[in-house]
């Protein structure tokens, strides 16, 4: 299987290499594609060192699978090139997420149709990192008891904004308060920032708008699903949290929902209403962790939950590899799907 990772030197790209190295169906080392800035950099894959090369038409001409995690601009330029050359392309940026011709997939929620090398190119979008973990949880509610409204407050780790954000956070911790002004609107150390991405006309910031529209798309819903989100950047290395309030069409049956969550692959619900996981505890986990599951004391139709996942894994690299496994029908995801 000829696989390439575009953006291999980035946070998500390096996590993709880790995930791919654990996949038995990956039978040859992936090509590592980057911009001219990182060409020549060496990265480990299994017991070898691979050299990054600058992305080009030629490098994309003969691939089975392209995992793309190089941002919107590079995705717009290169993802269609690889798809037109016949590859299955999974893109992590927001470039194609709302394109009606491009599926937006969380494999546990809306698996994609089968694909085989040589059957023609296909482009699939990986959703926003917070949206993935919220969608995985919300889909269980929707299937089990229906879902009328979902209100989220997300607490998003610094690594969600890429390597530059992590570098700026580290600089700020050593006293350079002005570091990272291009990534964070105010200092992130000892702080929380309720502003992620550019401001939108309706009073939201871009990250919040992404969660609303992507969640509806993944769940197959439109405006009939009322969704709101306040997205907050927090001074945590890795691991996004979402505090959710979900309104159901019927009084909440907590035990039924717990049972449905526990039956779901890659979902780890805590049975005790006081139990919870934290970003530090779930770093490196591929699962979605659900805690503080309880009925809102003020409304028997409202369910409250605390949902935590590793943004680099379930929020990005692992979800992308799961999509490939699902399409190819290989690995645990493909076999299950
Ligand atoms: N971080 C997360 O938790 C997360 C979660 C979900 C989705 N995503 C999305 O995944 C993508 C990557 O995020 P990241 O956090 O890994 O960012 P990152 O650490 O900044 O890495 C960006 C990568 O993209 C490459 N790149 C940038 N511009 C390029 C170009 N014009 N041509 C070729 N390569 C280019 C960079 O290569 P050089 O080293 O050569 O510059 C680097 O490898 C983004 O679209 C992001 O929105 C991230």
């Amino acid at each position: 299987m000829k696989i390439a990772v575009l953006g291999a030197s980035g946070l998500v790209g390096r996590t993709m290499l880790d995930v791919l190295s654990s996949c038995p169906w990956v039978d040859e080392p992936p090509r590592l594609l980057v911009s001219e800035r990182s060409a020549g950099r060496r990265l480990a894959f299994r017991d070898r060192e691979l050299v990054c090369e600058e992305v080009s038409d030629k490098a994309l001409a003969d691939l089975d699978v392209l995992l793309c995690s190089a941002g919107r601009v590079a995705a717009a330029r290169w993802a269609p090139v690889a798809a037109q050359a016949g590859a299955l392309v999974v893109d992590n940026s927001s470039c194609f997420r709302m394109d009606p011709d491009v599926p937006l997939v969380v494999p546990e929620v809306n698996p994609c149709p089968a694909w085989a090398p040589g059957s023609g190119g296909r482009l699939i979008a990986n959703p926003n990192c917070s949206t993935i973990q919220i969608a995985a949880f919300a889909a269980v509610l929707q299937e089990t008891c229906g879902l009328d409204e979902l209100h989220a407050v997300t607490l998003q780790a610094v690594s969600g904004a890429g390597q530059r954000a992590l570098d700026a956070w580290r600089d700020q911790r050593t006293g350079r308060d002005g570091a990272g002004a291009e990534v964070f609107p105010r200092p992130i150390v000892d702080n929380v920032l309720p502003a992620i991405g550019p401001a939108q006309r309706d009073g939201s910031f871009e990250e919040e708008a992404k969660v609303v529209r992507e969640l509806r798309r993944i769940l197959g819903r439109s405006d009939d699903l009322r969704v709101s989100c306040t997205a907050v950047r927090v001074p945590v290395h890795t691991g996004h949290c979402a505090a959710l309030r979900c309104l159901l069409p019927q009084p909440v049956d907590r035990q039924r929902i717990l049972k449905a969550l526990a039956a779901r692959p890659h979902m780890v619900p805590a049975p005790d209403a006081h139990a919870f996981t934290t970003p530090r505890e779930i770093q490196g986990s591929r699962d979605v962790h659900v805690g503080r599951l309880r009925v809102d004391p003020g409304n028997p139709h409202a369910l409250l939950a605390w949902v935590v996942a590793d943004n680099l894994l379930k929020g990005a690299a692992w979800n992308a590899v799961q999509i490939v496994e699902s399409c190819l029908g290989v690995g645990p995801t493909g076999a299950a799907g």
Side-chain angles (χ1 to χ4, degrees), residues 26 49 69 83 123 128 134 150 154 166 171 173 175 184 186 203 218 222 224 230 233 261 296:
V26 176
E49 261 201 349
S69 65
L123 187 49
N128 162 273
I134 295 172
L150 183 148
T154 63
L166 270 187
D171 284 348
R173 287 169 79 184
F184 303 118
R186 315 247 179 106
I218 294 163
S222 57
D224 72 307
T230 298
R233 185 74 68 200
L261 289 167
D296 182 342

Side-chain angles (χ1 to χ4, degrees), residues 19-36:
V19 174
L20 289 173
S21 71
S22 71
C23 296
W25 54 271
V26 176
D27 50 9
E28 55 183 288
R31 280 180 93 156
L32 311 188
L33 305 177
V34 293
S35 79
E36 61 181 352

Side-chain angles (χ1 to χ4, degrees), residues 2-4 6 31-34 53-66 77-78 80-87:
K2 294 190 183 67
I3 304 175
L6 174 57
R31 280 180 93 156
L32 311 188
L33 305 177
V34 293
E53 57 184 300
E54 187 176 350
V55 62
S56 64
D57 288 283
K58 194 166 162 239
L60 300 173
D62 187 26
L63 294 174
D64 295 316
V65 173
L66 176 69
R77 169 74 180 86
W78 298 112
V81 173
Q84 273 154 26

Side-chain angles (χ1 to χ4, degrees), residues 86-119:
L88 172 66
V89 180
V90 181
D91 179 48
N92 267 270
S93 80
S94 56
C95 189
F96 304 102
R97 288 182 191 150
M98 298 310 291
D99 181 334
D101 294 329
V102 178
L104 180 67
V105 175
V106 179
E108 296 89 336
V109 180
N110 54 342
C112 19
W115 182 90
S119 66

